Coordinates of all heavy atoms in Angstrom, one line a residue:
E135 N -6.2 30.3 -22.7 CA -7.5 29.8 -23.2 C -8.3 29.2 -22.0 O -7.6 28.5 -21.2 CB -7.3 28.8 -24.3 CG -6.7 29.4 -25.5 CD -7.7 30.4 -26.3 OE1 -8.9 30.2 -26.2 OE2 -7.2 31.4 -26.8
A136 N -9.6 29.4 -22.0 CA -10.3 28.8 -21.0 C -10.5 27.3 -21.3 O -10.5 26.9 -22.4 CB -11.8 29.4 -21.0
V137 N -10.6 26.5 -20.2 CA -10.7 25.1 -20.2 C -12.3 24.9 -20.4 O -13.1 25.5 -19.7 CB -10.3 24.4 -19.0 CG1 -10.7 22.9 -18.9 CG2 -8.8 24.6 -18.9
E138 N -12.6 24.0 -21.4 CA -14.1 23.7 -21.5 C -14.5 22.8 -20.4 O -14.0 21.7 -20.2 CB -14.2 22.9 -22.8 CG -15.8 22.6 -23.1 CD -15.9 21.9 -24.4 OE1 -15.0 21.7 -25.2 OE2 -17.1 21.5 -24.6
E139 N -15.4 23.3 -19.5 CA -15.9 22.5 -18.4 C -17.1 21.7 -18.8 O -18.1 22.2 -19.3 CB -16.3 23.5 -17.2 CG -15.1 24.3 -16.8 CD -15.5 25.2 -15.6 OE1 -15.9 24.7 -14.6 OE2 -15.3 26.5 -15.7
V140 N -17.0 20.4 -18.7 CA -18.0 19.5 -19.1 C -19.2 19.5 -18.1 O -19.0 19.5 -16.9 CB -17.4 18.0 -19.1 CG1 -18.5 17.0 -19.6 CG2 -16.2 18.0 -20.2
D141 N -20.3 19.7 -18.6 CA -21.6 19.6 -17.8 C -21.7 18.2 -17.1 O -21.7 17.3 -17.8 CB -22.8 20.0 -18.6 CG -22.9 21.5 -19.0 OD1 -22.2 22.3 -18.2 OD2 -23.5 21.8 -19.9
D142 N -21.9 18.3 -15.8 CA -22.1 17.1 -15.1 C -23.7 16.9 -15.1 O -24.4 17.7 -14.6 CB -21.6 17.1 -13.7 CG -21.8 15.9 -12.9 OD1 -22.8 15.1 -13.2 OD2 -21.0 15.6 -12.0
P143 N -24.2 15.8 -15.7 CA -25.6 15.6 -15.7 C -26.3 15.7 -14.3 O -27.4 16.2 -14.2 CB -25.9 14.2 -16.3 CG -24.6 14.1 -17.2 CD -23.5 14.7 -16.4
M144 N -25.6 15.2 -13.3 CA -26.1 15.2 -12.0 C -26.2 16.7 -11.5 O -27.2 17.0 -10.8 CB -25.2 14.4 -11.0 CG -25.8 14.3 -9.6 SD -27.3 13.3 -9.4 CE -26.6 11.7 -9.4
L145 N -25.2 17.5 -11.7 CA -25.2 18.9 -11.3 C -26.2 19.6 -12.1 O -26.9 20.5 -11.6 CB -23.8 19.5 -11.5 CG -22.7 19.0 -10.6 CD1 -21.4 19.7 -10.9 CD2 -23.1 19.1 -9.2
V146 N -26.5 19.3 -13.4 CA -27.5 20.0 -14.2 C -28.9 19.7 -13.6 O -29.7 20.5 -13.4 CB -27.4 19.5 -15.7 CG1 -28.6 20.1 -16.4 CG2 -26.2 20.0 -16.3
R147 N -29.1 18.4 -13.2 CA -30.3 18.1 -12.6 C -30.5 18.8 -11.3 O -31.7 19.2 -10.9 CB -30.4 16.5 -12.6 CG -31.7 16.0 -11.8 CD -32.0 14.6 -12.0 NE -32.9 14.0 -11.1 CZ -34.2 14.3 -11.1 NH1 -34.7 15.1 -12.0 NH2 -35.1 13.7 -10.3
A148 N -29.5 18.8 -10.5 CA -29.6 19.4 -9.2 C -29.8 20.9 -9.3 O -30.7 21.5 -8.5 CB -28.2 19.2 -8.4
G149 N -29.3 21.5 -10.3 CA -29.6 22.9 -10.6 C -31.1 23.1 -10.9 O -31.8 24.1 -10.4
K150 N -31.6 22.3 -11.8 CA -33.0 22.3 -12.2 C -33.9 22.2 -10.9 O -34.9 23.0 -10.7 CB -33.4 21.3 -13.2 CG -34.8 21.3 -13.6 CD -35.0 20.2 -14.7 CE -36.5 20.1 -15.2 NZ -37.4 19.7 -14.1
L151 N -33.6 21.2 -10.1 CA -34.4 20.9 -8.9 C -34.2 22.1 -7.9 O -35.1 22.4 -7.2 CB -34.0 19.6 -8.3 CG -34.3 18.3 -9.0 CD1 -33.7 17.1 -8.4 CD2 -35.8 18.1 -9.1
G152 N -33.0 22.6 -7.9 CA -32.8 23.8 -7.0 C -33.7 25.0 -7.4 O -34.2 25.7 -6.5
N153 N -33.8 25.2 -8.7 CA -34.7 26.3 -9.2 C -36.1 26.1 -8.8 O -36.8 26.9 -8.4 CB -34.5 26.5 -10.7 CG -33.2 27.0 -11.1 OD1 -32.5 27.7 -10.2 ND2 -32.7 26.7 -12.2
E154 N -36.5 24.8 -8.9 CA -37.9 24.4 -8.5 C -38.1 24.6 -7.0 O -39.2 25.1 -6.6 CB -38.2 23.0 -8.9 CG -38.2 22.8 -10.4 CD -38.3 21.3 -10.8 OE1 -38.4 20.5 -9.8 OE2 -38.4 21.0 -12.1
H155 N -37.1 24.3 -6.2 CA -37.2 24.4 -4.7 C -37.3 25.9 -4.4 O -38.2 26.3 -3.6 CB -35.9 23.9 -4.1 CG -35.8 24.0 -2.7 ND1 -36.8 23.9 -1.8 CD2 -34.7 24.3 -1.9 CE1 -36.4 24.1 -0.5 NE2 -35.2 24.4 -0.6
E156 N -36.6 26.8 -5.0 CA -36.6 28.2 -4.8 C -38.0 28.8 -5.3 O -38.6 29.6 -4.6 CB -35.5 28.9 -5.7 CG -35.4 30.4 -5.5 CD -34.4 31.0 -6.5 OE1 -34.6 31.2 -7.7 OE2 -33.3 31.2 -6.0
A157 N -38.5 28.3 -6.4 CA -39.8 28.8 -6.9 C -40.9 28.4 -5.9 O -41.9 29.2 -5.8 CB -40.1 28.1 -8.3
R158 N -40.9 27.2 -5.4 CA -41.9 26.8 -4.4 C -41.8 27.7 -3.1 O -42.9 28.1 -2.6 CB -41.6 25.3 -3.9 CG -42.1 24.3 -4.9 CD -42.2 23.0 -4.3 NE -40.9 22.5 -4.0 CZ -40.0 21.8 -4.7 NH1 -40.4 21.5 -5.9 NH2 -38.8 21.4 -4.3
A159 N -40.7 28.1 -2.7 CA -40.5 28.9 -1.5 C -41.1 30.3 -1.9 O -41.7 30.9 -1.1 CB -39.0 29.0 -1.1
L160 N -40.8 30.8 -3.1 CA -41.3 32.1 -3.5 C -42.8 32.1 -3.5 O -43.5 33.0 -3.0 CB -40.8 32.5 -4.9 CG -41.3 33.8 -5.5 CD1 -41.0 35.0 -4.6 CD2 -40.8 34.0 -6.9
D161 N -43.4 31.0 -4.0 CA -44.9 30.9 -4.0 C -45.5 30.9 -2.6 O -46.5 31.5 -2.3 CB -45.3 29.6 -4.7 CG -45.2 29.6 -6.2 OD1 -45.0 30.8 -6.8 OD2 -45.1 28.6 -6.9
D162 N -44.8 30.3 -1.7 CA -45.2 30.2 -0.3 C -45.2 31.6 0.3 O -46.1 32.0 1.1 CB -44.3 29.3 0.6 CG -44.5 27.8 0.2 OD1 -45.6 27.5 -0.4 OD2 -43.6 27.0 0.5
Y163 N -44.2 32.4 0.1 CA -44.0 33.8 0.5 C -45.1 34.7 0.0 O -45.6 35.5 0.7 CB -42.7 34.3 0.3 CG -41.5 33.7 1.2 CD1 -40.4 33.2 0.6 CD2 -41.7 33.6 2.5 CE1 -39.3 32.7 1.3 CE2 -40.7 32.9 3.3 CZ -39.5 32.6 2.7 OH -38.5 32.0 3.5

């Protein structure tokens, strides 16, 4: 059985900010 991996709020926030960082780069290009 797979182990339930608990979402780390810090990593979730980092992922959201990472997506925003990527979106800004795309807009610049």
Side-chain angles (χ1 to χ4, degrees):
E135 292 293 326
V137 170
E138 182 179 355
E139 299 184 58
V140 180
D141 286 337
D142 183 330
M144 182 69 80
L145 293 179
V146 172
R147 174 163 165 73
K150 178 177 180 293
L151 292 172
N153 290 336
E154 293 174 357
H155 177 40
E156 180 183 82
R158 284 193 296 270
L160 177 60
D161 288 341
D162 290 342
Y163 288 132

